[in-house]
Amino acid sequence: MTPVLLAIACLTAVTLGYGFLCAVSPFGDCRRCRGFGYRLTTDRRGRTRPGRLCRRCRGDRKRIRFGRHLYNVAARLHRDGTR
């Protein structure tokens, strides 16, 4: 197998795997708070404590994956265009 075909096969496998992940689990952990729902702060003694709610996920702990967001936009565009 030539290196070009091997690269195409690997890229196709990664793309299909990510598409399957977005279909099965459309929501992933928030990257900013790592799924805690709040930012961790430390007090003067160095202990970690819950801080304010995460601004990115608003405390929901989950965010929609980028691939699922693209699928939702494409599906909405198709639905609105066929009406």
Side-chain angles (χ1 to χ4, degrees):
M1 187 178 257
T2 63
V4 174
L5 287 177
L6 183 63
I8 290 172
C10 289
L11 191 61
T12 303
V14 168
T15 303
L16 290 177
Y18 184 69
F20 180 73
L21 177 69
C22 288
V24 172
S25 176
F27 295 97
D29 288 338
C30 177
R31 290 188 305 252
R32 175 170 274 180
C33 65
R34 290 181 234 115
F36 286 116
Y38 48 83
R39 292 188 61 176
L40 293 175
T41 59
T42 57
D43 60 3
R44 291 183 182 187
R45 292 185 177 185
R47 293 180 295 194
T48 56
R49 304 185 64 169
R52 299 181 349 181
L53 285 178
C54 178
R55 289 176 53 192
R56 184 175 277 181
C57 67
R58 296 183 187 98
D60 290 336
R61 300 178 178 183
K62 298 287 183 181
R63 288 187 43 104
I64 195 160
R65 293 186 194 276
F66 182 71
R68 185 59 183 211
H69 175 71
L70 289 179
Y71 173 78
N72 289 347
V73 168
R76 187 179 312 121
L77 182 67
H78 180 269
R79 185 179 60 238
D80 292 344
T82 56
R83 286 186 179 184

